[in-house]
Amino acid sequence: QSGHVRLFEGEEPDFFRNAAGISRQAAVAAHDPVAGDDNADRIVPYGTAYSDVDNGSVIVLPDASTGTVAIAINMFKVPPTMGLLMADLGIGPALGGWLMTVPTVTGLVLALPSGGLTDRFGPKKVGLFAILSAAVGSLIGSFAPNIELLLFSRFVEGLSFALIGVAVPAIIAMWFSPEKSGAPMAIWSGWVPIGMLAIFTGANLFIAADDPGTWTNVWWLSTALLVAAAVLYLVFVKAPDGYAAEDAPKISLVAGM
């Protein structure tokens, strides 16, 4: 029919189907119900991003990236406040160093299972959990009167680092075909250095060298950023039309790893 393009006869190859097993023809048909069954013959060129079917990707990518930058800010808030932490909590450099080691080890241990968790529960749920876990950990740390509770809070924060690093690429993969995913992945991949740069330069606005207790200001700032990022993520990050999560095959966590 006029305006319809068919690039392959018969069924689409499996590698052109999304994670829910839905072909791109079906996704387009679901997106444009006006065309009815005839729209099943319309195929989006396979080098075209899903964003050409649904422009929501223009919103999804920045909001998903905001969450990852907020997590990076949270992860690296310790170095610019280390002097204040040592003075306020009465700890030495060796013990203070564990404030970075604990979340790093947590992220390392969780890195492999995070793939299975994302396959099992979906990237949006896993990504949202990652942002919220960082927010909860930061909130606990804001009230920490001693190093023991602060270390526990950093363990909770460490859950976010591995999970978000798997969830957001999965979201990008839903919205962009392999041929068009390079630029979105490049934009997102700067989340760690951007977060580090932001907190290393911005922390000085919230702390005072002569008041050790002001390190908590940075924790409150991080908590607020994470809550805001979680709201944006919850509202705007979604799957494209045709990506029905409930239709996705349920696999075990072991199989996902």
Side-chain angles (χ1 to χ4, degrees), residues 54-81:
D54 188 339
N55 290 328
S57 61
V58 176
I59 298 175
V60 170
L61 180 59
D63 288 316
S65 298
T66 298
T68 56
V69 169
I71 286 177
I73 289 174
N74 184 68
M75 176 64 70
F76 293 99
K77 64 190 175 185
V78 169
T81 58

Side-chain angles (χ1 to χ4, degrees), residues 179-199:
E179 298 85 353
K180 296 292 184 179
S181 63
M185 285 297 295
I187 293 171
W188 170 77
S189 65
W191 64 287
V192 171
I194 290 173
M196 293 176 65
L197 180 63
I199 193 61

Side-chain angles (χ1 to χ4, degrees), residues 20-63:
I22 300 172
S23 69
R24 198 168 295 199
Q25 293 103 315
V28 174
H31 179 76
D32 187 7
V34 176
D37 294 336
D38 290 339
N39 207 35
D41 288 334
R42 178 185 166 211
I43 303 177
V44 177
Y46 297 126
T48 303
Y50 271 110
S51 59
D52 291 333
V53 178
D54 188 339
N55 290 328
S57 61
V58 176
I59 298 175
V60 170
L61 180 59
D63 288 316

Side-chain angles (χ1 to χ4, degrees), residues 6-28 42-50 53 173-180 240-243:
R6 176 169 292 280
L7 299 184
F8 284 89
E9 293 296 331
E11 283 293 312
E12 277 185 295
D14 288 341
F15 55 83
F16 289 130
R17 295 174 178 268
N18 61 25
I22 300 172
S23 69
R24 198 168 295 199
Q25 293 103 315
V28 174
R42 178 185 166 211
I43 303 177
V44 177
Y46 297 126
T48 303
Y50 271 110
V53 178
M174 286 195 301
W175 281 95
F176 297 90
S177 66
E179 298 85 353
K180 296 292 184 179
D241 292 342
Y243 254 87

Side-chain angles (χ1 to χ4, degrees), residues 63-108:
D63 288 316
S65 298
T66 298
T68 56
V69 169
I71 286 177
I73 289 174
N74 184 68
M75 176 64 70
F76 293 99
K77 64 190 175 185
V78 169
T81 58
M82 181 62 79
L84 300 178
L85 287 164
M86 291 170 57
D88 190 47
L89 300 178
I91 59 176
L95 190 54
W98 280 96
L99 292 171
M100 284 302 299
T101 302
V102 167
T104 302
V105 172
T106 305
L108 180 63

Side-chain angles (χ1 to χ4, degrees), residues 67-244:
T68 56
V69 169
I71 286 177
I73 289 174
N74 184 68
M75 176 64 70
F76 293 99
K77 64 190 175 185
V78 169
T81 58
M82 181 62 79
L84 300 178
L85 287 164
M86 291 170 57
D88 190 47
L89 300 178
I91 59 176
L95 190 54
W98 280 96
L99 292 171
M100 284 302 299
T101 302
V102 167
T104 302
V105 172
T106 305
L108 180 63
V109 172
L110 194 58
L112 187 59
S114 63
L117 291 169
T118 301
D119 286 337
R120 179 69 175 175
F121 299 106
K124 177 166 183 175
K125 290 180 180 179
V126 171
L128 183 61
F129 177 82
I131 300 173
L132 291 176
S133 65
V136 170
S138 185
L139 182 62
I140 294 173
S142 301
F143 294 102
N146 52 54
I147 186 62
E148 289 81 11
L149 184 57
L150 192 58
L151 285 172
F152 172 75
S153 73
R154 292 293 283 170
F155 164 78
V156 176
E157 292 174 10
L159 299 175
S160 66
F161 207 61
L163 293 175
I164 201 69
V166 174
V168 174
I171 291 171
I172 292 174
M174 286 195 301
W175 281 95
F176 297 90
S177 66
E179 298 85 353
K180 296 292 184 179
S181 63
M185 285 297 295
I187 293 171
W188 170 77
S189 65
W191 64 287
V192 171
I194 290 173
M196 293 176 65
L197 180 63
I199 193 61
F200 288 172
T201 57
N204 290 331
L205 300 175
F206 299 90
I207 59 178
D210 57 350
D211 186 357
T214 55
W215 64 267
T216 58
N217 295 343
V218 177
W219 262 245
W220 282 111
L221 171 66
S222 182
T223 303
L225 292 175
L226 287 163
V227 170
V231 172
L232 291 173
Y233 193 96
L234 177 64
V235 173
F236 294 109
V237 174
K238 60 178 182 177
D241 292 342
Y243 254 87

